[in-house]
Amino acid sequence: MCGIIGITDTEEAARLAYFGLYALQHRGQESSGIVSWDEHSGIAHQHTGMGLVPEVFSEDDLRHLAGRTAIGHVRYSTAGKPLIRNAQPLLVRIKGGVQLALAHNGNLTNARELRRMLEDEGCIFQTTSDSEIFVHLIAKALQGSDIAQAIISACSRVEGAYSLIIMADGTLFAVRDPHGFHPLSIGKTGHSLLFASESCAFDLLEADYVREVRPGEMIIAGPGRHDCRSMFFAPANVPVRQCIFELVYFARPDSCIFGEDVYQCRKLMGKIMMREAMADAECVIPFPDSGVYASLGAAQESGLPYEHALIRNHYVGRTFIQPSQNMRQYSVRVKINPVRSMIRGKSLCVVDDSIVRGTTIRTRVAKLREMGAKAVHFRVSSPPVKHPCFYGIDFPSPAELIATQMNEQQIADMLGLDSLHYLSLDGLLSSVSEPDHYCTACFTGEYPTRVPASSCRHPGNILQD
Amino acid sequence: MCGIIGITDTEEAARLAYFGLYALQHRGQESSGIVSWDEHSGIAHQHTGMGLVPEVFSEDDLRHLAGRTAIGHVRYSTAGKPLIRNAQPLLVRIKGGVQLALAHNGNLTNARELRRMLEDEGCIFQTTSDSEIFVHLIAKALQGSDIAQAIISACSRVEGAYSLIIMADGTLFAVRDPHGFHPLSIGKTGHSLLFASESCAFDLLEADYVREVRPGEMIIAGPGRHDCRSMFFAPANVPVRQCIFELVYFARPDSCIFGEDVYQCRKLMGKIMMREAMADAECVIPFPDSGVYASLGAAQESGLPYEHALIRNHYVGRTFIQPSQNMRQYSVRVKINPVRSMIRGKSLCVVDDSIVRGTTIRTRVAKLREMGAKAVHFRVSSPPVKHPCFYGIDFPSPAELIATQMNEQQIADMLGLDSLHYLSLDGLLSSVSEPDHYCTACFTGEYPTRVPASSCRHPGNILQD
Amino acid sequence: MCGIIGITDTEEAARLAYFGLYALQHRGQESSGIVSWDEHSGIAHQHTGMGLVPEVFSEDDLRHLAGRTAIGHVRYSTAGKPLIRNAQPLLVRIKGGVQLALAHNGNLTNARELRRMLEDEGCIFQTTSDSEIFVHLIAKALQGSDIAQAIISACSRVEGAYSLIIMADGTLFAVRDPHGFHPLSIGKTGHSLLFASESCAFDLLEADYVREVRPGEMIIAGPGRHDCRSMFFAPANVPVRQCIFELVYFARPDSCIFGEDVYQCRKLMGKIMMREAMADAECVIPFPDSGVYASLGAAQESGLPYEHALIRNHYVGRTFIQPSQNMRQYSVRVKINPVRSMIRGKSLCVVDDSIVRGTTIRTRVAKLREMGAKAVHFRVSSPPVKHPCFYGIDFPSPAELIATQMNEQQIADMLGLDSLHYLSLDGLLSSVSEPDHYCTACFTGEYPTRVPASSCRHPGNILQD
Amino acid sequence: MCGIIGITDTEEAARLAYFGLYALQHRGQESSGIVSWDEHSGIAHQHTGMGLVPEVFSEDDLRHLAGRTAIGHVRYSTAGKPLIRNAQPLLVRIKGGVQLALAHNGNLTNARELRRMLEDEGCIFQTTSDSEIFVHLIAKALQGSDIAQAIISACSRVEGAYSLIIMADGTLFAVRDPHGFHPLSIGKTGHSLLFASESCAFDLLEADYVREVRPGEMIIAGPGRHDCRSMFFAPANVPVRQCIFELVYFARPDSCIFGEDVYQCRKLMGKIMMREAMADAECVIPFPDSGVYASLGAAQESGLPYEHALIRNHYVGRTFIQPSQNMRQYSVRVKINPVRSMIRGKSLCVVDDSIVRGTTIRTRVAKLREMGAKAVHFRVSSPPVKHPCFYGIDFPSPAELIATQMNEQQIADMLGLDSLHYLSLDGLLSSVSEPDHYCTACFTGEYPTRVPASSCRHPGNILQD
C-alpha cells in the first residue's frame, strides 16, 4: 500500500504536500518523496528518501522543492531489501523534454508480461516496481504534446489496481483504475485543487473535501486557475470493486472513503460482530490501535464496559536492536503491555480487526493467561483472510495465513481462546451502503480481474519471484 | 522529569537497561544514556546521546557497553538549549580511582547555594544541571572506600527531590529522598536485582516487582549475588510527600507507583470528577492520550458512551518544519484530527487530565465548534495548576498558568466552553489510599521544603536564571 | 576526466577494484562507484556515492559487493551541481534480464543528436551524462544474447572519446575508441585479468602490466579462466589521436600510458623547455605538485639547484568554509606557502605544466614579489592552451583561457614576470616517441573528429547548455 | 604532539583560528577544537570534534563561535581509543563564574602524582589527559580575580613540557615552560595579537611574525587593544632545552622555530650527513614527504641528481578498509609507489629523516630490490632514536625502537641495505645556531628533568599505563 498526494496552484506547494504526506503516513513508512514543478525555471525538482516523512525532508529540502505544483508519495514497507531506487514519485524526462513525475498506489496484475515485452523492445528499467511500467508506456505512446492521450493509452494496456497522480510539466493528472480498487479524493482550498488517497489529508491542510475521483476517471488540473476537466477512459460495463480491507483496517478512522465514514463503519462492524456472537465477558478490550473502533461498537452493542487495558508504547520505532537471550517473547511486550489490575481474575472480550498469521495474537493471549485472565473471548471484525491480494495489500503467502491452514475451532484452540468469532462476510457487507461495489477476494478468492497464474509472494515487486 | 534504571548481576546488563529505558521513554525524550561496569576490565563504559533511546543506541554501542551491571537515564526536554553535556548518567573518576556513575530524577531546591559554595572551594563543573552537585559532594566526602557513607553525607547537605541510582565500581546504590517525591521501585529476575522509576519497566524485562524504595532509604546492591542491604539515612520525622502529579499525568497507566495502580487511580479520578459535576452530553471524548483513562471512568460513571473521536497521528515527531503561511493553527491539526461524524450536531463531554496554559485546548475547542459541535462540556481530572513545582515537574512560569490568571468561569469563557469542571482537591485525594502522603504544592502552593526565594523558570537548570 | 577499472576471476573482486580506484583517484574526485557480479546468486550489486573512494565505501559496502568480477569508476568534478544520478558505473537490466554495468572515460561529440533521437523513440534517460547513451544503444541493438555485437553496433553510432569497461552478467568488455583518445591498459595477476585507465593501478594491486587496449579494439574477458579474446571494430584508416594532455598533466608520474613512461616524459619536456629558453636564475622551483617533474628535468638540464620551496598543505580538502573578510587572496595561501628564506633576494625559475586561466599563478607570483624575490622567470612545460577540448578534459571556455585572449608578452606582463616561456609544440612532440599519434587540439584547434557547432561549456553534460 | 593557536581583538576570531589550525594540522589529526569568547553575551562557546579541521567545523559551527577572541587546538593521534572527551581546548567554569579555556602542547612528567593528589582532595577529572591538571590547579589557586597569579602558581607545581594558550573571560595567557621544549610564537596583524605553535600559521593569516614566547615567559593579552604584557615566572638558572626533533621532523619546512629556518636547517642536516658519509649512487631519492628537504641538501652537497621517484598518493586517508588476503604488504604500496624506470638497474641513495621501528623502510627497500635496484644506500638525517620521549613526541616503546635493539651494521643487514649512515649527534647539533639549547634525550637518554621511574608507553595518557 501507498499514500499519494497532489496539489496545484499554491504558494509552497511542496510544503503542503509534505504535511499532506504526514496525514497519509499510516499508508507507507518505507520511503517518502516529493516532486515539485518550478514554473519559473521550468524544472521539476525531486527529493526522495528512505524513512518517515519528517526523517526524509529538511527545511533545506523543502526550500529546494520550489514551485506552485507538487506531488508526493509514501511507500509501504514490503518484505525484501528496501531500495531507494523504488522510492516514488518517479521522475523522468521523456520525448520533447517533458518532465514526467508519477506516484502510484496499487499493484498491476499483468506487470511481468508488460515488463518483458518492454525490455524486448529495448526499454531500460531503473526500479524493480511495477509503477515504472506506466512511465515507459506513456513515453512510447506520447505523440506531439498530448500527455492525456498517452496516459489513456498506457491505462488501456495495464490491468490491476492503480490510483495515480501524474505531473507533466506542471499539469496534474489524477487517475483511478476502472474497478476503483483504492481510494483517491479531490479537495480544494482557495484556487488550489488537491488530490489525496484519503480525506484526512484535506483536514490537515484545511481544504474542503469535494468528491472521490470515480473508477475509470481521469481528472486533468492545469497549473493555472479554473483549469480542470474530467474524462472517463474505461468501458462503462466494468464493475466497481473497491477494496473492503481499506475500510476494515487500512484507512484512517477520521477519513471518508468510498462514500463511507470509516469510524462509523468500523463501529458498525463491531456491533454486527457482537450481534452475531455475544461474549460472556466483563469488559471489551481492543488490541491497540487496530481494534479500537470495532471495540467501541462492540461495547456499545453489548453494554459491556470498554477498557483501554492494553497499553501501547508509541516510542517503539523501527529499531533493530535484538533482545538479550534471557528475554523470551520480547516482541510481545515491547510494544504492548497489559494493565495487570484489569486482567487478573477477569473474563475478557478482546477485539481486533483481523487475524493474519496469528503468531502475535497467540503470544499476547498467552501473556493474558499468565497474568491471570479468567477467560479470553476473541472477536474479529472481519471474516478469515484466506487468499492473497494482487491489488496492493501485502498479506503473507497463503501458507502463512492461519485461516488457510485451519478452521475456526482449530484456530481458537491454537490461540488458547475460550471462544472465537469472525464477523461473517454478510455482516461485513451489511456495514457498508453499497455492498456489491467491493472486492472481497482476500476472504472469498473471487478476483475481479485475471491474476497471475502462480501466486507469488510480493505481487508488486516483479523481479523478486 | 526523568526516568532512571539500574540492574545487577546479569548477562548483557546494558541491553536490559536499554529495554528498560524504552519502557520509561515517556519520562524523558531529550537525551538517553547508559553506563555499564565491565567487571573483567574494571572499566565503566558510557554512551549518551541526544534523542530517543532507539536513536541514541546502535548494536555497536550496546556491545561496547560490556558487563553485568548497568544504569541508565532518559532526560525530559526542558526549555532552553539542550546540551549533550547534561545527558546522564554522569560518569566520573574520583578519589582512589573509583568510577562513579549517577542517574538522578528530581530537582534540588538548594542547588544554587551548594554550587556557589563548591565553586569557591575550587570545584569545576562540567554541566549546568543540579545533578552534578551530588558527584562533587560525594567525591569530597569520600574517606577510604566507604562510598555508602559518602552518599549519605552528600544527601545530608542537599534539599529537594531526588531519586538516585548510583554505580560505584559495579556496586549499585538506589536512593530516594526523605520526602519520597518521585517513585523508585525494586524488581528482581533470576539472581538479578533491578531498580526503575516505574514498574512498567519490570514488565518489559519480565522481572517481578518487589516493592518501592522507601522515602529516606538507600539500597546497596553488590555486583555479586545475594548481596543487598538497606539503610535509612533520614530523620524519622520527615513527612512523606509523594508527587500526586505522577498519578494524574506523568506515570504510565500500566505502572504501579506509590502503592497505587495508576490505571485504576485515573479511572477513579474520572468517576469522582463526574460525580462532582455531571455533563449534559451525548458522549465522553478524551483528549488523547492524556485524557483516555479518566474518560473511561467518566463514561462508566455517567453511563454515556465513550468515543475515541479525536484521532492522534503517532507519526508526528519532533519535527522543525514550519507550516506554510496559509496554514492557520496548524499545530492543532497536525497531531490530532476529529472524526467529523462524531462531532457535527453533537453535545460533547471532553476530558483531559489537566489544563496548563490553555492555548492548545482553546484552539481545539474552536475546531470542534467549527465542525459543528452543539455543545462542548469540558472536564478536568485534577484541580487547577496555580503554582510552580520545584521538585521536577516542568510547568511554565505562574504568569503563563491560566489558572493563576483567571477563575473557573473566566477560563470557561476564554476557552469557549458550555461548562467546565475541575476535579476538587478533596476529590483528587480521595482517589488515593493514603491522602496525607502527597505533595499537592502545584495546586495549593504549600511546599513541603524551603524553596528558592525568587521563583525561577527552570529550577533544575541552575545556570540559566 | 574519469578513472575506470575492471577485474575478473578473483576472490573479493570489489575489494581489489576499491584499491584500484584508490590508485586512480587523481582522475576523479566527485563520485566513486563499483558494480560487482555475484556468480552464485546471478545478481549484480552496485554501490555509488559522492566523494572520494574512502569516503564512499565502508567495509559493509564492500562485503555487500560479493562476487569474483567487478568494475569501478571515479568521476571528475565538473562545474554545475554534482548529481548522484550521474555517478558510475551505471547499472541497468536490459532485454533477456541481462544486467549491464558500464564505466566510461571520455566525451561523445554527437551526444546531443543521439539523445534527441533516442528520446523520440520513447527512451527514458535517468542521468544528464552522455555515458547513458551507450546503455540505450546497446539495449536496442541487442539480439538474442550477443552482447559483443550490440556493443560494436553502439560504438558504430557514437563519435568522440570513449574508454569503456562494460560488465554484462559477469563478462567484461574493455573498449577503446578508434582514435584512442584516452588510455586503457591490460594487466594480469594469477588467473585474473585487469583493465585500468593507468598502469599505476596494477602496481598497487601487484599485477603485471600486459599492454594497452589498442585504439578501436574490444577485449572480451569471460568470468572463467583463460577465456579472453580480442576484436577490432573500427575501420583501419582511422588515425590514432591520443590525448597529449594526459602526458603533460593528467596521468600519474608512476604510470606508463601510450607506451610512454610518464615520469621520464615530463622530465624530458622540462629539459627541452630549458633548452629552448634558459633562465637567468639561482634555482628551479616547481609549483607543487603539477610542476615537480618538469622542474627536475629543467634543473638537471640547466645545472641550477632544484628547490622544493613552495610548501603544499595536503590537509586542505574540499572545504566550503569561506575566509573572513579581512583575509585577502586567501586561496593563494591556504594550499601553498613559500619558504621565506628561499625567496627573499633570489632570482627564481618557477615551473608549472600549463597555464589555464592564469589567476592563481598571478596571485602566487605577486606573493613571491611581496616576499622579496629579486626576479621571477616562469617556464611552462607545454604550449599555450587556446581551444576547448571535446574529448574529456574540462578546460574553461575560450573566453576564460588566458592564451586565447593575450599573446605571450601580454601574459608575462599581466603575471608580473621577468620572463616567460612556453614549451613549443615541436618541443612537446619531440618528448614522445610517436609524435603523429597525438591529439593536440587544445593547442592547435585541429580536432580529429567533427565537433559540436557552437562550442559548449561542458561537452559531457548534454543537458546543461 | 599538538598544535595550538590564539587570537585577540578581531572580527570573526574563530574563523581565523580555524584557518590557523589548518596550517597546524600536521601537528595533530585526531581531534580539533575552538573556544571563542563572545564579549557581547559574556559567554565562551566551544566546538570540538574528532577528525581533521575541515571535517570538524561547518559554517554553522563557526557562526556559533561568536566573538573577537578565540583559541584553538589540534590533537595528535596516539595509540588507544581516541576519546572526544580528550579533545581540546578544555572549557570549564571556575570560581567566580570565570570561564576558563585551555589548549596545551606537551607532556607533564609529574602528572600521575599530581592527579592522585588532586583526586585525594576531591577533584573530579573528566579526561584522561594530563592537560586537565592545569585546570584544577588554576581553579584551586585562584584568589579573587588574579588569573595570572593562579596560572603561575599552577606552573610552579607541574614539571615537564607545556606550551599553553589559556583564555579566561576573553583575556589570553600564552605560556611556555622554563625549558622551552616546544615552540610557541607571537604574531600580529592590525590590532590583533596572535599566538601559534609555528610561524606558518601567521603566513596563512597574513600576520607578521614578532618573536617566540621565551622559555619561562607568560604573555598576557587583554581583549582590548594595546593591552599586552610579559612576565617571567621561572628561576633564571633553568637551562633552555628545545626539542631538536621539532627541527628534524615535526615542524613544517616553511616555519621558523627556535630562531631557525626549518627548511634551511633540514637541508644543512642533509649536507652534513653526506659529508660524513658520501654514497656511491646515481641519484638521491627522498622518502616522501619526510625525507625531501634533507635530500635536497644531500643532492646539492654530493652533486648527484635529485629524483622524486617515490610517488605518494595524497588521497590515502585514515581508511580502515582491509586489503584482501591475496594482497601482500599492501601498506607499502597504497601510500607510495616507485617510478619503475628510475629504479631498475640504478644505484640509489635513499634519504629519510629518521628510522623508528624500521618495518616500513624494510618493506620499501625490498620493493626497490624487487623492481631491480642495483644498490640501495640509505642515509638518515638524524642520529639513531634509542630512548622514549616524556615531553610529547609519541615514539614507540624502547622494545620497538630498532636502534635500541641493534647496532648500525645489524640494522643495515636487516633492512637489506648496501650501506647505511645516520647523521652524528655532533653533525646534527652543528646544523643549528645554539647547539646547547636543545633536548636530545631521544638520542642520548639525557633527560633535562626528572622522568617517571618506569618508562611508560604513552606518557601523556596518565590512565592507560
Side-chain angles (χ1 to χ4, degrees), chain B residues 106-416:
Chain B
N107 273 354
L108 304 186
T109 48
N110 64 338
R112 299 183 90 181
E113 58 197 72
L114 284 175
R115 178 155 174 156
R116 199 164 296 146
M117 186 204 70
L118 286 164
E119 284 183 345
D120 284 349
E121 294 174 19
C123 283
I124 294 172
F125 279 75
Q126 299 292 330
T127 75
T128 60
S129 84
D130 54 356
S131 307
E132 195 181 356
I133 287 168
F134 279 108
V135 177
H136 285 283
L137 290 175
I138 294 168
K140 285 194 165 274
L142 181 59
Q143 299 198 326
S145 61
D146 193 348
I147 301 282
Q149 198 50 50
I151 295 172
I152 288 173
S153 164
C155 291
S156 72
R157 296 182 64 184
V158 303
E159 299 173 11
Y162 51 93
S163 288
L164 295 175
I165 304 179
I166 295 170
M167 183 173 74
D169 281 3
T171 298
L172 289 199
F173 302 80
V175 181
R176 204 162 152 222
D177 67 66
H179 293 288
F181 283 104
H182 295 297
L184 185 58
S185 292
I186 313 171
K188 72 171 176 187
T189 175
H191 294 287
S192 180
L193 267 188
L194 293 89
F195 304 95
S197 292
E198 294 183 28
S199 66
C200 62
F202 302 149
D203 288 344
L204 181 63
L205 298 171
E206 294 224 313
D208 295 316
Y209 173 83
V210 177
R211 65 164 172 93
E212 297 214 308
V213 176
R214 299 203 176 95
E217 185 182 18
M218 174 163 67
I219 309 272
I220 307 172
R225 298 174 183 181
H226 314 303
D227 180 8
C228 172
R229 61 208 163 88
S230 157
M231 48 200 300
F232 285 83
F233 60 87
N237 62 347
V238 178
V240 175
R241 288 291 176 265
Q242 299 170 131
C243 170
I244 199 146
F245 215 76
E246 291 265 4
L247 292 174
V248 168
Y249 168 77
F250 216 81
R252 259 177 56 167
D254 50 339
S255 284
C256 286
I257 60 166
F258 307 151
E260 301 289 341
D261 181 289
V262 177
Y263 184 96
Q264 301 298 353
C265 198
R266 285 190 191 152
K267 271 184 65 180
L268 187 49
M269 291 172 198
K271 286 182 180 181
I272 298 171
M273 172 187 79
M274 285 303 263
R275 265 176 234 154
E276 290 182 351
M278 191 56 69
D280 178 19
E282 290 161 77
C283 60
V284 174
I285 296 178
F287 266 23
D289 294 339
S290 51
V292 166
Y293 307 97
S295 288
L296 294 174
Q300 288 171 23
E301 179 71 22
S302 63
L304 297 174
Y306 171 94
E307 294 287 353
H308 208 81
L310 295 168
I311 307 300
R312 182 164 170 187
N313 184 348
H314 283 291
Y315 296 108
V316 174
R318 287 157 304 159
T319 177
F320 296 104
I321 297 292
Q322 292 302 307
S324 78
Q325 47 192 341
N326 44 4
M327 293 173 69
R328 285 167 297 119
Q329 295 179 345
Y330 143 81
S331 64
V332 180
R333 293 184 311 277
V334 75
K335 283 200 188 155
I336 291 183
N337 193 39
V339 174
R340 205 170 282 269
S341 63
M342 285 308 304
I343 308 301
R344 196 180 308 119
K346 295 265 170 60
S347 280
L348 314 171
C349 173
V350 180
V351 175
D352 207 352
D353 69 296
S354 57
I355 302 179
V356 177
R357 283 186 185 82
T359 46
T360 303
I361 292 178
R362 187 182 188 178
T363 48
R364 282 190 184 144
V365 170
K367 180 74 184 172
L368 294 176
R369 292 281 181 204
E370 184 189 321
M371 289 177 101
K374 197 164 70 186
V376 180
H377 303 278
F378 207 89
R379 296 294 176 267
V380 186
S381 62
S382 67
V385 172
K386 295 183 175 173
H387 305 276
C389 174
F390 294 97
Y391 308 114
I393 306 284
D394 187 42
F395 291 125
S397 71
E400 294 172 81
L401 290 170
I402 191 171
T404 311
Q405 306 299 321
M406 301 183 189
N407 66 28
E408 210 162 310
Q409 185 55 49
Q410 290 170 321
I411 296 173
D413 291 347
M414 195 273 264
L415 298 181

Side-chain angles (χ1 to χ4, degrees), chain C residues 51-126:
Chain C
L52 301 177
V53 174
E55 297 165 355
V56 165
F57 295 93
S58 68
E59 271 289 344
D60 273 354
D61 297 329
L62 287 184
R63 260 191 297 273
H64 178 64
L65 291 163
R68 298 181 61 84
T69 311
I71 73 173
H73 188 273
V74 289
R75 184 182 173 81
Y76 192 70
S77 175
T78 56
K81 203 186 164 216
L83 287 172
I84 179 67
R85 285 189 166 210
N86 284 347
Q88 296 192 18
L90 302 174
L91 172 61
V92 297
R93 196 179 272 260
I94 59 171
K95 216 176 288 187
V98 172
Q99 291 162 71
L100 189 90
L102 180 142
H104 173 211
N105 176 25
N107 273 355
L108 305 186
T109 48
N110 64 339
R112 299 184 89 182
E113 58 198 73
L114 285 175
R115 179 159 175 151
R116 200 165 294 146
M117 186 205 70
L118 286 164
E119 284 183 344
D120 283 349
E121 295 174 17
C123 284
I124 293 173
F125 280 75
Q126 299 293 329

Side-chain angles (χ1 to χ4, degrees), chain C residues 15 263 267 307 322 337, chain D residues 15 254 263 267 307 322:
Chain C
R15 193 171 297 264
Y263 183 98
K267 271 183 65 179
E307 294 287 353
Q322 292 302 307
N337 193 40
Chain D
R15 193 171 296 263
D254 50 339
Y263 184 97
K267 271 184 65 179
E307 294 286 354
Q322 292 302 307

Side-chain angles (χ1 to χ4, degrees), chain C residues 15 19 59 203-204 206 254 261 263-264 267 300 307-308 322 328 330 333 337 340-341, chain D residues 15 19 59 203-204 206 254 261 263-264 267 300 307-308 314 322 328 330 333 337 340-341:
Chain C
R15 193 171 297 264
F19 286 107
E59 271 289 344
D203 288 342
L204 181 63
E206 295 225 312
D254 50 338
D261 180 289
Y263 183 98
Q264 301 298 353
K267 271 183 65 179
Q300 288 171 23
E307 294 287 353
H308 207 83
Q322 292 302 307
R328 288 166 295 119
Y330 142 82
R333 294 183 311 276
N337 193 40
R340 203 169 283 269
S341 63
Chain D
R15 193 171 296 263
F19 287 107
E59 270 289 345
D203 288 343
L204 181 63
E206 294 224 312
D254 50 339
D261 180 289
Y263 184 97
Q264 301 297 354
K267 271 184 65 179
Q300 288 171 23
E307 294 286 354
H308 207 83
H314 283 290
Q322 292 302 307
R328 285 166 297 120
Y330 142 81
R333 295 184 311 277
N337 193 39
R340 204 170 284 268
S341 64

Side-chain angles (χ1 to χ4, degrees), chain D residues 130-288:
Chain D
D130 54 355
S131 307
E132 195 181 357
I133 288 168
F134 281 108
V135 178
H136 284 283
L137 289 175
I138 294 168
K140 286 192 165 276
L142 181 59
Q143 300 197 325
S145 61
D146 193 349
I147 301 281
Q149 199 50 51
I151 295 172
I152 289 173
S153 164
C155 290
S156 72
R157 297 181 65 184
V158 302
E159 298 173 10
Y162 51 92
S163 289
L164 294 175
I165 303 178
I166 295 170
M167 184 173 73
D169 281 3
T171 299
L172 289 199
F173 303 80
V175 181
R176 204 162 152 223
D177 66 65
H179 293 288
F181 283 105
H182 296 297
L184 185 59
S185 293
I186 313 171
K188 71 171 176 187
T189 175
H191 295 287
S192 179
L193 268 188
L194 293 89
F195 303 95
S197 292
E198 293 184 29
S199 67
C200 62
F202 303 148
D203 288 343
L204 181 63
L205 298 171
E206 294 224 312
D208 295 316
Y209 173 83
V210 177
R211 65 166 172 91
E212 297 213 307
V213 177
R214 301 205 174 91
E217 186 182 16
M218 172 163 67
I219 310 273
I220 307 173
R225 298 174 182 181
H226 313 302
D227 180 8
C228 173
R229 61 208 163 87
S230 158
M231 49 202 299
F232 285 82
F233 60 87
N237 62 345
V238 179
V240 174
R241 288 290 177 264
Q242 299 169 132
C243 170
I244 200 146
F245 215 76
E246 291 265 5
L247 291 174
V248 168
Y249 167 78
F250 217 82
R252 260 177 58 166
D254 50 339
S255 286
C256 286
I257 60 166
F258 308 151
E260 301 288 342
D261 180 289
V262 177
Y263 184 97
Q264 301 297 354
C265 198
R266 284 189 192 154
K267 271 184 65 179
L268 188 48
M269 292 173 196
K271 286 183 178 180
I272 299 171
M273 171 188 80
M274 284 304 262
R275 266 176 235 153
E276 290 181 352
M278 190 56 68
D280 178 19
E282 290 161 77
C283 60
V284 174
I285 296 178
F287 266 22

Side-chain angles (χ1 to χ4, degrees), chain A residues 254 263 267 307 322 337, chain B residues 15 254 263 267 307 337:
Chain A
D254 49 339
Y263 184 96
K267 271 184 66 179
E307 295 286 354
Q322 292 302 308
N337 194 39
Chain B
R15 193 171 296 262
D254 50 339
Y263 184 96
K267 271 184 65 180
E307 294 287 353
N337 193 39

